[in-house]
Amino acid sequence: MKEIKAIIKPFTLEAVIEALREIKGLPAITISPAHGLSAERGSFDQVVKTKLEIMVTDELVESVVQTIQKAAHTGNPGDGRIFVIPVEETVKIRTGERDTHQ
């Protein structure tokens, strides 16, 4: 199992969500506002972004990454970044159920 974390421009969110809805088996998406500091132009300027967090099986990783990349792409600096992170275990708070699928 992997966590896909994507930092995108806020105005691309709706296009990304619509594209992700086409992927069968995608369980859920957590969406949060994100504020970052960018030093690309020699000073730390605050930028507003949107963060997506998605837990997926290993089989869905490439499809989700490609979908986000395509839907969030504008070709301009600051389009964002996608991180793929291994997940060792999840615990469902309500039931205590543990999932260690790799």
Side-chain angles (χ1 to χ4, degrees):
M1 179 170 277
K2 301 281 193 282
E3 176 187 12
I4 297 174
K5 190 176 293 189
I7 309 297
I8 63 172
K9 291 182 175 184
F11 69 86
T12 66
L13 178 61
E14 287 304 316
V16 170
I17 290 171
E18 287 304 313
L20 288 171
R21 283 187 175 150
E22 300 298 318
I23 299 175
K24 292 190 186 302
L26 193 67
I29 304 168
T30 300
I31 302 167
S32 308
H35 299 267
L37 296 174
S38 173
E40 282 189 8
R41 293 179 181 84
S43 65
F44 280 100
D45 296 323
Q46 185 170 341
V47 292
V48 177
K49 299 287 186 168
T50 298
K51 179 171 63 171
L52 307 176
E53 296 169 287
I54 309 167
M55 305 297 241
V56 298
T57 61
D58 291 351
E59 295 78 26
L60 286 178
V61 169
E62 194 56 35
S63 177
V64 171
V65 168
Q66 287 181 11
T67 298
I68 294 170
Q69 185 177 11
K70 183 177 178 184
H73 179 264
T74 68
N76 295 312
D79 270 353
R81 187 169 292 260
I82 302 168
F83 305 89
V84 179
I85 305 158
V87 174
E88 292 182 27
E89 181 177 35
T90 66
V91 179
K92 191 177 282 188
I93 292 172
R94 180 178 57 88
T95 64
E97 176 185 352
R98 294 178 179 264
D99 182 3
T100 57
H101 294 326
Q102 298 294 327

